[in-house]
Amino acid sequence: MKKNPSTAPRLPQRVSLVTQTAQSLRESMQAGHWHGHLPGERELCARLQVSRHTLRAALQELQHDGSLEVTERQRRRIKLTSQVTKAAHSQVIAAISPRPLLEMSPSSVVMVDELRDQLSRIGFSFEIHVSTACFSSKPARALEALTTRSPAAAWLLFGALEPVQSWFMRRQLPCLVVGSCAPGISLPSVDADHRATCRHAGGMLCGKGHRSIALIRPEGDYGGDIQSEQGLREALGGSRAPHLQVIRHDGTAAHLCTLLDKAMRSAQPPTACVVARAVHVLTVMMFLMQRGKRIPQDVAVISRDDEAFLQHTVPAVTRYAANPSQFARSVCMAARKLAEAGALPPKAIRLMPKLVRGETL
């Protein structure tokens, strides 16, 4: 029997990044974010976190549909009527980050791309605002200006310390912490379960007989790092607890190596290292090898986090791997509920990473 082609299901279409970018620009113009003319290409690329090639293709779409007009001085004049409406703002979910996409970790870039795609499928546009001023010790003025200039249905906070989280909590703006909340902050959040991860790592190290362990983490009171230390201390508790050193570095290889050298010369040099942030695992391992230490015979190394490049180390790194797609889905679901409801209970959603056994333990 011949099938009627009109009854065949229509295949789903993946919306291109160019189309998403054009839609985000169109909604921002309708919401009155800009008046008269669009900003320059550099500013738009930074705001939308897309390449100049993608932006120009999106701008071409807007010119073709009559939303924009190129003037003699090559400025792009807005032809849409600007109306600041709640409906327009309700379709924008915005993120604030201290660093641009190119400076984020590879797994964070994958997560942002997944998040952008998933939000677009359910009708939301996604913007990233990069601002170091919003992440200073006194961010109130910068945050006030940003949230007034670019209203959104919900805000996602990437890499935020206590001052930023505290400001959003006081203002009662709908926001979701992508990470862990600082102590005393009651906001909804999504993060890996760093406390359980480090408690598990500490248990494995104790089982291997290690009596001096170092937790290597960046400076700053990031909620995930505080919880990592709590979990490790819980695992090492008891009357004959192993010695724990917490090494806080400024993120540079030089500073980390200086602190490691001091630790290795101490009365109780560590025989195992639990390292937060995958990129710093490379510094730790190369430092130890440079000092003639065998891994794991002399010093064991566990990475709290995972990145694709750790698959290529020799020896293979024992690490905990979170699923970026699963993480993005959790953030997307929470952000959608937040945008639709206007508020969420201060619930901490925690995802347990999977242990990837390597040769460094």
Side-chain angles (χ1 to χ4, degrees), residues 25-63:
L25 286 168
R26 187 180 293 109
E27 290 171 355
S28 294
M29 290 188 295
Q30 289 172 338
H33 290 177
W34 301 293
H35 301 282
H37 296 83
L38 284 183
E41 291 184 357
R42 179 178 298 179
E43 180 179 336
L44 290 174
C45 287
R47 174 170 181 163
L48 299 174
Q49 293 294 291
V50 295
S51 68
R52 185 159 292 189
H53 175 78
T54 299
L55 175 68
R56 287 177 175 172
L59 293 171
Q60 232 10 71
E61 282 192 16
L62 295 175
Q63 288 173 221

Side-chain angles (χ1 to χ4, degrees), residues 97-338:
S97 171
R99 59 184 66 86
L101 204 61
L102 290 175
E103 295 180 13
M104 292 183 183
S105 65
S107 61
S108 295
V109 174
V110 172
M111 188 274 292
V112 168
D113 186 57
E114 289 271 357
L115 182 60
R116 189 197 303 274
D117 180 58
Q118 292 180 29
L119 286 172
S120 70
R121 293 180 185 215
I122 58 176
F124 287 93
S125 62
F126 181 55
E127 299 177 355
I128 297 184
H129 301 274
V130 179
S131 171
T132 55
C134 287
F135 290 84
S136 65
S137 58
K138 296 181 179 180
R141 181 177 296 180
L143 289 170
E144 186 71 44
L146 175 60
T147 55
T148 301
R149 182 176 67 251
S150 304
W155 292 91
L156 308 182
L157 309 183
F158 291 170
L161 289 168
E162 190 276 337
V164 180
Q165 297 177 9
S166 180
W167 185 87
F168 271 92
M169 188 173 69
R170 289 195 308 271
R171 289 295 308 275
Q172 296 185 332
L173 289 177
C175 77
L176 175 72
V177 177
V178 183
S180 296
C181 291
I185 298 296
S186 298
L187 291 173
S189 64
V190 179
D191 201 0
D193 196 334
H194 295 307
R195 184 171 182 172
T197 296
C198 288
R199 186 165 56 238
H200 184 268
M204 290 196 301
L205 293 173
C206 288
K208 292 282 187 178
H210 290 278
R211 306 304 304 165
S212 182
I213 299 170
L215 171 63
I216 300 170
R217 47 159 291 193
E219 295 173 342
D221 292 329
Y222 293 98
D225 293 336
I226 293 173
Q227 292 173 11
S228 297
E229 188 172 337
Q230 291 174 344
L232 196 52
R233 290 191 186 279
E234 290 168 1
L236 306 184
S239 58
R240 300 183 61 189
H243 175 64
L244 175 64
Q245 296 186 59
V246 180
I247 299 175
R248 297 178 177 85
H249 58 89
D250 66 4
T252 66
H255 189 229
L256 177 51
C257 287
T258 298
L259 297 178
L260 283 172
D261 186 62
K262 182 179 178 180
M264 297 306 294
R265 294 174 183 271
S266 66
Q268 290 183 287
T271 60
C273 297
V274 179
V275 187
R277 313 291 195 280
V279 66
H280 301 307
V281 174
L282 302 182
T283 303
V284 171
M285 290 180 61
M286 295 181 74
F287 170 86
L288 293 172
M289 292 176 180
Q290 191 179 55
R291 295 299 189 274
K293 301 295 182 182
R294 299 169 301 166
I295 303 174
Q297 293 89 340
D298 298 325
V299 183
V301 176
I302 298 178
S303 178
R304 187 198 67 182
D305 308 307
D306 185 36
E307 293 292 351
F309 56 75
L310 290 183
Q311 300 174 18
H312 305 284
T313 62
V314 179
V317 177
T318 297
R319 60 196 186 275
Y320 291 88
N323 186 321
S325 297
Q326 180 190 14
F327 194 95
R329 283 195 299 272
S330 297
V331 174
C332 182
M333 290 175 59
R336 179 182 184 177
K337 292 179 182 178
L338 182 61

Side-chain angles (χ1 to χ4, degrees), residues 23-24 26-33 82-93 122-125 127 151-154 339-340:
Q23 181 62 20
S24 178
R26 187 180 293 109
E27 290 171 355
S28 294
M29 290 188 295
Q30 289 172 338
H33 290 177
S82 297
Q83 290 184 326
V84 182
T85 65
K86 185 176 180 181
H89 297 156
S90 68
Q91 298 305 308
V92 177
I93 292 178
I122 58 176
F124 287 93
S125 62
E127 299 177 355
E340 292 174 348

